[in-house]
Amino acid sequence: PAKPQNVDDEKIEYFGNTRFPKFRPKPRRTITPGDAVGQATPAVKPTPQPLTAQMQQKWRDILSPEKNLETRAKIIHDIGHSYFQDIVDLRDNGDKLFEAPKQLIRGSRAHYLPSVSGKTLAGANADVLDLCEGRTTLLSINFNKFSERHTQSFVEPFEAAFADAENVQVVQLNIEENWAKAVVLQMCLPFLRRQIPKHRHDRYLVHYGNVEELRKSMGIANSLIGYVFLIDKELRIRWYANGLAVMSEAQAMVALTRKLAKTNK
């Protein structure tokens, strides 16, 4: 079998007598821990449109050269940033982007949670803004089954610490951007309802569709990693973490939530 040899920044792979340089993937660009994430201004929920208006807009988009160029650019971007690229990134850089900050982001410089709509496991249409508003919230975001163990490593100690707190809650957001996989996820919803504790069903939101803007604004660099965000009652993002929780992160999360909950009363 071919034996790789490290030479400076290259990984040389041997195939017979021929050497092929294979550069290591660059570490994915991430935010600096403690930087404000989210959108700079409060989010506005989109106004629901009747089905007839949606179909008319879809037809206008099909006939629009500008929209066709946007669609083409998105397809090219998706090809360049594929699921397999996230796998390679995970293999070479690990399943944690950084260790979470130890302090809250000050309210004066914190950014706001973007709007994401969907359907809860309880069957109601909802927006994540409605679910989080008015209470101190740990928001978890998953894009696939693999990342669930990351977010659960934060959710479990959070729920244990605040089981009796009325103004503290967990909201979970499950996002599927691929429409083919979305069909599979819809078929698996009965299993998901059995797997998720019933008391979370009305705060477990499933969203189908592209969330590229949310990814960019919230520092989501790899969809195979789970993310959690601490949201205050005014929907500002005050703390965040990713990957599997280490003990110091879980302790910081609980301490910061207690501090934030006092100011949210």
Side-chain angles (χ1 to χ4, degrees):
K3 295 182 178 180
Q5 174 185 344
N6 292 329
V7 180
D8 296 328
D9 290 332
E10 296 181 350
K11 181 164 68 175
I12 305 298
E13 294 187 355
Y14 289 84
F15 299 89
N17 295 322
T18 308
R19 297 196 309 168
F20 294 91
K22 183 178 180 181
F23 293 95
R24 293 193 187 101
K26 296 179 180 178
R28 192 171 298 279
R29 297 177 62 183
T30 63
I31 58 175
T32 302
D35 281 356
V37 298
Q39 57 185 65
T41 57
V44 178
K45 291 182 293 183
T47 304
Q49 289 185 318
L51 181 59
T52 303
Q54 293 180 34
M55 295 301 295
Q56 290 175 344
Q57 183 60 51
K58 186 68 174 177
W59 184 247
R60 286 194 294 269
D61 290 346
I62 291 173
L63 298 178
S64 168
E66 293 80 9
K67 284 293 182 181
N68 288 332
L69 288 174
E70 287 180 14
T71 302
R72 184 184 305 175
K74 183 184 180 305
I75 292 173
I76 293 173
H77 174 270
D78 290 346
I79 292 173
H81 185 100
S82 67
Y83 174 78
F84 297 103
Q85 184 178 351
D86 282 343
I87 293 176
V88 172
D89 173 59
L90 203 69
R91 181 196 68 190
D92 292 314
N93 300 310
D95 61 358
K96 200 169 189 65
L97 301 176
F98 49 79
E99 189 168 334
K102 300 292 192 296
Q103 301 293 330
L104 291 171
I105 299 170
R106 290 197 311 273
S108 59
R109 70 181 192 89
H111 288 181
Y112 293 86
L113 178 66
S115 169
V116 181
S117 60
K119 183 168 286 190
T120 68
L121 288 185
N125 293 322
D127 193 287
V128 71
L129 301 179
D130 295 327
L131 298 181
C132 295
E133 189 173 20
R135 301 173 76 182
T136 302
T137 303
L138 182 72
L139 171 67
S140 72
I141 299 181
N142 297 101
F143 290 83
N144 47 68
K145 183 70 176 178
F146 178 81
S147 63
E148 283 183 8
R149 66 190 186 100
H150 297 159
T151 53
Q152 279 302 110
S153 69
F154 289 94
V155 169
E156 289 175 359
F158 187 91
E159 281 201 324
F162 300 102
D164 299 324
E166 295 183 358
N167 64 330
V168 178
Q169 65 175 354
V170 171
V171 172
Q172 296 175 272
L173 178 58
N174 189 332
I175 296 173
E176 182 51 70
E177 296 183 285
N178 184 299
W179 283 104
K181 293 180 183 178
V183 175
V184 176
L185 179 57
Q186 286 178 320
M187 294 172 61
C188 293
L189 284 181
F191 170 76
L192 194 60
R193 289 190 183 96
R194 291 194 298 270
Q195 184 186 33
I196 302 299
K198 194 169 182 179
H199 70 271
R200 291 194 211 154
H201 283 195
D202 60 347
R203 289 175 281 116
Y204 190 107
L205 188 67
V206 181
H207 171 85
Y208 305 104
N210 182 268
V211 290
E212 187 63 30
E213 291 305 315
L214 177 138
R215 282 171 173 267
K216 290 178 181 178
S217 67
M218 299 185 71
I220 295 175
N222 188 315
S223 63
L224 295 176
I225 297 174
Y227 302 83
V228 294
F229 301 86
L230 193 56
I231 315 295
D232 67 18
K233 68 176 182 180
E234 297 175 20
L235 300 176
R236 296 174 298 186
I237 302 171
R238 306 295 298 276
W239 181 85
Y240 48 81
N242 66 88
L244 284 171
V246 299
M247 184 175 293
S248 61
E249 289 180 315
Q251 292 171 342
M253 172 186 68
V254 171
L256 294 175
T257 301
R258 288 200 174 104
K259 180 179 179 181
L260 192 58
K262 288 180 180 178
T263 63
N264 276 357
K265 288 182 179 179

PDB file of all heavy atoms in Angstrom, residues 4-15 19-25 88 91-92:
ATOM      1  N   PRO A   4       1.997   7.587   2.850  1.00  0.00           N
ATOM      2  CA  PRO A   4       2.122   9.046   2.756  1.00  0.00           C
ATOM      3  C   PRO A   4       3.354   9.526   3.483  1.00  0.00           C
ATOM      4  O   PRO A   4       3.755   8.987   4.500  1.00  0.00           O
ATOM      5  CB  PRO A   4       0.851   9.557   3.422  1.00  0.00           C
ATOM      6  CG  PRO A   4       0.449   8.465   4.338  1.00  0.00           C
ATOM      7  CD  PRO A   4       0.888   7.188   3.705  1.00  0.00           C
ATOM      8  N   GLN A   5       3.960  10.590   2.957  1.00  0.00           N
ATOM      9  CA  GLN A   5       5.133  11.191   3.585  1.00  0.00           C
ATOM     10  C   GLN A   5       4.898  12.680   3.678  1.00  0.00           C
ATOM     11  O   GLN A   5       4.573  13.328   2.691  1.00  0.00           O
ATOM     12  CB  GLN A   5       6.384  10.892   2.739  1.00  0.00           C
ATOM     13  CG  GLN A   5       7.634  11.615   3.241  1.00  0.00           C
ATOM     14  CD  GLN A   5       8.803  11.375   2.316  1.00  0.00           C
ATOM     15  OE1 GLN A   5       8.770  10.470   1.503  1.00  0.00           O
ATOM     16  NE2 GLN A   5       9.807  12.196   2.422  1.00  0.00           N
ATOM     17  N   ASN A   6       5.028  13.244   4.874  1.00  0.00           N
ATOM     18  CA  ASN A   6       4.802  14.671   5.061  1.00  0.00           C
ATOM     19  C   ASN A   6       6.038  15.450   4.660  1.00  0.00           C
ATOM     20  O   ASN A   6       7.137  15.189   5.124  1.00  0.00           O
ATOM     21  CB  ASN A   6       4.476  14.972   6.522  1.00  0.00           C
ATOM     22  CG  ASN A   6       3.127  14.392   6.908  1.00  0.00           C
ATOM     23  OD1 ASN A   6       2.244  14.310   6.059  1.00  0.00           O
ATOM     24  ND2 ASN A   6       2.983  13.967   8.149  1.00  0.00           N
ATOM     25  N   VAL A   7       5.876  16.412   3.796  1.00  0.00           N
ATOM     26  CA  VAL A   7       6.962  17.280   3.362  1.00  0.00           C
ATOM     27  C   VAL A   7       6.446  18.704   3.401  1.00  0.00           C
ATOM     28  O   VAL A   7       5.611  19.082   2.592  1.00  0.00           O
ATOM     29  CB  VAL A   7       7.443  16.940   1.933  1.00  0.00           C
ATOM     30  CG1 VAL A   7       8.563  17.872   1.527  1.00  0.00           C
ATOM     31  CG2 VAL A   7       7.895  15.500   1.849  1.00  0.00           C
ATOM     32  N   ASP A   8       6.948  19.487   4.388  1.00  0.00           N
ATOM     33  CA  ASP A   8       6.473  20.849   4.588  1.00  0.00           C
ATOM     34  C   ASP A   8       4.946  20.846   4.708  1.00  0.00           C
ATOM     35  O   ASP A   8       4.401  20.172   5.571  1.00  0.00           O
ATOM     36  CB  ASP A   8       6.942  21.767   3.449  1.00  0.00           C
ATOM     37  CG  ASP A   8       8.464  21.882   3.427  1.00  0.00           C
ATOM     38  OD1 ASP A   8       9.085  21.818   4.525  1.00  0.00           O
ATOM     39  OD2 ASP A   8       9.015  22.018   2.337  1.00  0.00           O
ATOM     40  N   ASP A   9       4.252  21.592   3.829  1.00  0.00           N
ATOM     41  CA  ASP A   9       2.800  21.674   3.917  1.00  0.00           C
ATOM     42  C   ASP A   9       2.108  20.700   2.966  1.00  0.00           C
ATOM     43  O   ASP A   9       0.914  20.787   2.726  1.00  0.00           O
ATOM     44  CB  ASP A   9       2.331  23.101   3.585  1.00  0.00           C
ATOM     45  CG  ASP A   9       2.723  24.076   4.674  1.00  0.00           C
ATOM     46  OD1 ASP A   9       2.838  23.642   5.843  1.00  0.00           O
ATOM     47  OD2 ASP A   9       2.914  25.253   4.352  1.00  0.00           O
ATOM     48  N   GLU A  10       2.867  19.781   2.379  1.00  0.00           N
ATOM     49  CA  GLU A  10       2.289  18.849   1.435  1.00  0.00           C
ATOM     50  C   GLU A  10       2.201  17.465   2.044  1.00  0.00           C
ATOM     51  O   GLU A  10       2.967  17.091   2.916  1.00  0.00           O
ATOM     52  CB  GLU A  10       3.127  18.765   0.159  1.00  0.00           C
ATOM     53  CG  GLU A  10       3.181  20.070  -0.633  1.00  0.00           C
ATOM     54  CD  GLU A  10       4.011  19.890  -1.891  1.00  0.00           C
ATOM     55  OE1 GLU A  10       4.667  18.837  -2.005  1.00  0.00           O
ATOM     56  OE2 GLU A  10       4.002  20.786  -2.730  1.00  0.00           O
ATOM     57  N   LYS A  11       1.256  16.674   1.546  1.00  0.00           N
ATOM     58  CA  LYS A  11       1.216  15.263   1.866  1.00  0.00           C
ATOM     59  C   LYS A  11       1.456  14.537   0.554  1.00  0.00           C
ATOM     60  O   LYS A  11       0.653  14.622  -0.379  1.00  0.00           O
ATOM     61  CB  LYS A  11      -0.136  14.875   2.476  1.00  0.00           C
ATOM     62  CG  LYS A  11      -0.203  13.394   2.849  1.00  0.00           C
ATOM     63  CD  LYS A  11      -1.362  13.106   3.794  1.00  0.00           C
ATOM     64  CE  LYS A  11      -2.668  13.301   3.094  1.00  0.00           C
ATOM     65  NZ  LYS A  11      -3.801  12.911   3.967  1.00  0.00           N
ATOM     66  N   ILE A  12       2.578  13.838   0.448  1.00  0.00           N
ATOM     67  CA  ILE A  12       2.944  13.163  -0.789  1.00  0.00           C
ATOM     68  C   ILE A  12       2.388  11.750  -0.747  1.00  0.00           C
ATOM     69  O   ILE A  12       2.657  10.986   0.174  1.00  0.00           O
ATOM     70  CB  ILE A  12       4.476  13.118  -0.969  1.00  0.00           C
ATOM     71  CG1 ILE A  12       5.062  14.532  -0.886  1.00  0.00           C
ATOM     72  CG2 ILE A  12       4.828  12.473  -2.299  1.00  0.00           C
ATOM     73  CD1 ILE A  12       4.577  15.474  -1.945  1.00  0.00           C
ATOM     74  N   GLU A  13       1.606  11.373  -1.734  1.00  0.00           N
ATOM     75  CA  GLU A  13       1.100  10.022  -1.836  1.00  0.00           C
ATOM     76  C   GLU A  13       1.783   9.321  -3.000  1.00  0.00           C
ATOM     77  O   GLU A  13       1.920   9.876  -4.086  1.00  0.00           O
ATOM     78  CB  GLU A  13      -0.420  10.035  -2.031  1.00  0.00           C
ATOM     79  CG  GLU A  13      -1.162  10.586  -0.816  1.00  0.00           C
ATOM     80  CD  GLU A  13      -2.649  10.431  -0.938  1.00  0.00           C
ATOM     81  OE1 GLU A  13      -3.099   9.986  -2.020  1.00  0.00           O
ATOM     82  OE2 GLU A  13      -3.365  10.728   0.024  1.00  0.00           O
ATOM     83  N   TYR A  14       2.206   8.087  -2.774  1.00  0.00           N
ATOM     84  CA  TYR A  14       2.931   7.322  -3.775  1.00  0.00           C
ATOM     85  C   TYR A  14       1.993   6.322  -4.453  1.00  0.00           C
ATOM     86  O   TYR A  14       1.295   5.557  -3.797  1.00  0.00           O
ATOM     87  CB  TYR A  14       4.095   6.570  -3.115  1.00  0.00           C
ATOM     88  CG  TYR A  14       5.213   7.463  -2.662  1.00  0.00           C
ATOM     89  CD1 TYR A  14       5.152   8.114  -1.429  1.00  0.00           C
ATOM     90  CD2 TYR A  14       6.325   7.689  -3.473  1.00  0.00           C
ATOM     91  CE1 TYR A  14       6.171   8.948  -1.004  1.00  0.00           C
ATOM     92  CE2 TYR A  14       7.348   8.521  -3.060  1.00  0.00           C
ATOM     93  CZ  TYR A  14       7.275   9.150  -1.824  1.00  0.00           C
ATOM     94  OH  TYR A  14       8.290   9.978  -1.404  1.00  0.00           O
ATOM     95  N   PHE A  15       1.995   6.331  -5.766  1.00  0.00           N
ATOM     96  CA  PHE A  15       1.256   5.368  -6.558  1.00  0.00           C
ATOM     97  C   PHE A  15       2.261   4.735  -7.513  1.00  0.00           C
ATOM     98  O   PHE A  15       2.609   5.327  -8.536  1.00  0.00           O
ATOM     99  CB  PHE A  15       0.118   6.036  -7.346  1.00  0.00           C
ATOM    100  CG  PHE A  15      -0.903   6.689  -6.460  1.00  0.00           C
ATOM    101  CD1 PHE A  15      -0.760   8.009  -6.056  1.00  0.00           C
ATOM    102  CD2 PHE A  15      -2.000   5.979  -6.015  1.00  0.00           C
ATOM    103  CE1 PHE A  15      -1.702   8.605  -5.241  1.00  0.00           C
ATOM    104  CE2 PHE A  15      -2.941   6.578  -5.187  1.00  0.00           C
ATOM    105  CZ  PHE A  15      -2.790   7.890  -4.807  1.00  0.00           C
ATOM    106  N   ARG A  19       4.939  10.158  -7.749  1.00  0.00           N
ATOM    107  CA  ARG A  19       4.547  10.939  -6.582  1.00  0.00           C
ATOM    108  C   ARG A  19       3.537  11.999  -7.001  1.00  0.00           C
ATOM    109  O   ARG A  19       3.749  12.733  -7.960  1.00  0.00           O
ATOM    110  CB  ARG A  19       5.761  11.630  -5.954  1.00  0.00           C
ATOM    111  CG  ARG A  19       6.803  10.673  -5.426  1.00  0.00           C
ATOM    112  CD  ARG A  19       7.761  11.373  -4.494  1.00  0.00           C
ATOM    113  NE  ARG A  19       8.321  12.584  -5.084  1.00  0.00           N
ATOM    114  CZ  ARG A  19       9.010  13.505  -4.405  1.00  0.00           C
ATOM    115  NH1 ARG A  19       9.197  13.347  -3.105  1.00  0.00           N
ATOM    116  NH2 ARG A  19       9.500  14.561  -4.984  1.00  0.00           N
ATOM    117  N   PHE A  20       2.453  12.084  -6.253  1.00  0.00           N
ATOM    118  CA  PHE A  20       1.432  13.087  -6.518  1.00  0.00           C
ATOM    119  C   PHE A  20       1.267  13.942  -5.268  1.00  0.00           C
ATOM    120  O   PHE A  20       0.855  13.422  -4.225  1.00  0.00           O
ATOM    121  CB  PHE A  20       0.080  12.429  -6.859  1.00  0.00           C
ATOM    122  CG  PHE A  20       0.086  11.665  -8.140  1.00  0.00           C
ATOM    123  CD1 PHE A  20       0.396  10.307  -8.153  1.00  0.00           C
ATOM    124  CD2 PHE A  20      -0.195  12.291  -9.341  1.00  0.00           C
ATOM    125  CE1 PHE A  20       0.404   9.590  -9.329  1.00  0.00           C
ATOM    126  CE2 PHE A  20      -0.176  11.582 -10.534  1.00  0.00           C
ATOM    127  CZ  PHE A  20       0.115  10.230 -10.528  1.00  0.00           C
ATOM    128  N   PRO A  21       1.635  15.228  -5.336  1.00  0.00           N
ATOM    129  CA  PRO A  21       1.427  16.074  -4.146  1.00  0.00           C
ATOM    130  C   PRO A  21      -0.055  16.306  -3.914  1.00  0.00           C
ATOM    131  O   PRO A  21      -0.811  16.597  -4.833  1.00  0.00           O
ATOM    132  CB  PRO A  21       2.134  17.377  -4.523  1.00  0.00           C
ATOM    133  CG  PRO A  21       2.136  17.399  -6.012  1.00  0.00           C
ATOM    134  CD  PRO A  21       2.196  15.966  -6.469  1.00  0.00           C
ATOM    135  N   LYS A  22      -0.471  16.160  -2.692  1.00  0.00           N
ATOM    136  CA  LYS A  22      -1.858  16.385  -2.316  1.00  0.00           C
ATOM    137  C   LYS A  22      -1.879  17.328  -1.119  1.00  0.00           C
ATOM    138  O   LYS A  22      -1.474  16.967  -0.034  1.00  0.00           O
ATOM    139  CB  LYS A  22      -2.533  15.070  -1.952  1.00  0.00           C
ATOM    140  CG  LYS A  22      -4.010  15.213  -1.626  1.00  0.00           C
ATOM    141  CD  LYS A  22      -4.604  13.859  -1.319  1.00  0.00           C
ATOM    142  CE  LYS A  22      -6.087  13.998  -0.985  1.00  0.00           C
ATOM    143  NZ  LYS A  22      -6.680  12.685  -0.666  1.00  0.00           N
ATOM    144  N   PHE A  23      -2.291  18.563  -1.344  1.00  0.00           N
ATOM    145  CA  PHE A  23      -2.265  19.564  -0.287  1.00  0.00           C
ATOM    146  C   PHE A  23      -3.353  19.272   0.742  1.00  0.00           C
ATOM    147  O   PHE A  23      -4.458  18.892   0.394  1.00  0.00           O
ATOM    148  CB  PHE A  23      -2.461  20.965  -0.867  1.00  0.00           C
ATOM    149  CG  PHE A  23      -1.310  21.397  -1.730  1.00  0.00           C
ATOM    150  CD1 PHE A  23      -1.342  21.218  -3.098  1.00  0.00           C
ATOM    151  CD2 PHE A  23      -0.186  21.949  -1.147  1.00  0.00           C
ATOM    152  CE1 PHE A  23      -0.272  21.605  -3.873  1.00  0.00           C
ATOM    153  CE2 PHE A  23       0.882  22.348  -1.934  1.00  0.00           C
ATOM    154  CZ  PHE A  23       0.835  22.168  -3.303  1.00  0.00           C
ATOM    155  N   ARG A  24      -3.015  19.480   1.988  1.00  0.00           N
ATOM    156  CA  ARG A  24      -3.994  19.335   3.052  1.00  0.00           C
ATOM    157  C   ARG A  24      -5.042  20.444   2.920  1.00  0.00           C
ATOM    158  O   ARG A  24      -4.705  21.583   2.602  1.00  0.00           O
ATOM    159  CB  ARG A  24      -3.330  19.473   4.432  1.00  0.00           C
ATOM    160  CG  ARG A  24      -2.382  18.358   4.786  1.00  0.00           C
ATOM    161  CD  ARG A  24      -2.081  18.460   6.274  1.00  0.00           C
ATOM    162  NE  ARG A  24      -1.044  17.520   6.649  1.00  0.00           N
ATOM    163  CZ  ARG A  24       0.215  17.856   6.845  1.00  0.00           C
ATOM    164  NH1 ARG A  24       0.593  19.113   6.692  1.00  0.00           N
ATOM    165  NH2 ARG A  24       1.102  16.944   7.191  1.00  0.00           N
ATOM    166  N   PRO A  25      -6.303  20.124   3.162  1.00  0.00           N
ATOM    167  CA  PRO A  25      -7.316  21.184   3.134  1.00  0.00           C
ATOM    168  C   PRO A  25      -6.998  22.263   4.167  1.00  0.00           C
ATOM    169  O   PRO A  25      -6.538  21.969   5.264  1.00  0.00           O
ATOM    170  CB  PRO A  25      -8.608  20.440   3.509  1.00  0.00           C
ATOM    171  CG  PRO A  25      -8.329  19.004   3.224  1.00  0.00           C
ATOM    172  CD  PRO A  25      -6.859  18.818   3.450  1.00  0.00           C
ATOM    173  N   VAL A  88     -14.480  15.961   4.779  1.00  0.00           N
ATOM    174  CA  VAL A  88     -13.019  16.108   4.742  1.00  0.00           C
ATOM    175  C   VAL A  88     -12.565  17.099   5.810  1.00  0.00           C
ATOM    176  O   VAL A  88     -11.572  16.878   6.510  1.00  0.00           O
ATOM    177  CB  VAL A  88     -12.558  16.563   3.339  1.00  0.00           C
ATOM    178  CG1 VAL A  88     -11.074  16.915   3.343  1.00  0.00           C
ATOM    179  CG2 VAL A  88     -12.834  15.467   2.317  1.00  0.00           C
ATOM    180  N   ARG A  91     -12.689  15.420   9.127  1.00  0.00           N
ATOM    181  CA  ARG A  91     -11.593  14.455   9.265  1.00  0.00           C
ATOM    182  C   ARG A  91     -10.271  15.134   9.574  1.00  0.00           C
ATOM    183  O   ARG A  91      -9.506  14.675  10.436  1.00  0.00           O
ATOM    184  CB  ARG A  91     -11.459  13.654   7.965  1.00  0.00           C
ATOM    185  CG  ARG A  91     -10.372  12.590   7.971  1.00  0.00           C
ATOM    186  CD  ARG A  91     -10.050  12.136   6.565  1.00  0.00           C
ATOM    187  NE  ARG A  91      -9.409  13.222   5.804  1.00  0.00           N
ATOM    188  CZ  ARG A  91      -9.190  13.167   4.481  1.00  0.00           C
ATOM    189  NH1 ARG A  91      -9.602  12.122   3.786  1.00  0.00           N
ATOM    190  NH2 ARG A  91      -8.598  14.176   3.862  1.00  0.00           N
ATOM    191  N   ASP A  92      -9.993  16.244   8.914  1.00  0.00           N
ATOM    192  CA  ASP A  92      -8.684  16.879   9.041  1.00  0.00           C
ATOM    193  C   ASP A  92      -8.605  17.914  10.153  1.00  0.00           C
ATOM    194  O   ASP A  92      -7.517  18.191  10.660  1.00  0.00           O
ATOM    195  CB  ASP A  92      -8.292  17.537   7.709  1.00  0.00           C
ATOM    196  CG  ASP A  92      -8.028  16.514   6.619  1.00  0.00           C
ATOM    197  OD1 ASP A  92      -7.325  15.520   6.896  1.00  0.00           O
ATOM    198  OD2 ASP A  92      -8.526  16.694   5.501  1.00  0.00           O
TER     199      ASP A  92
END
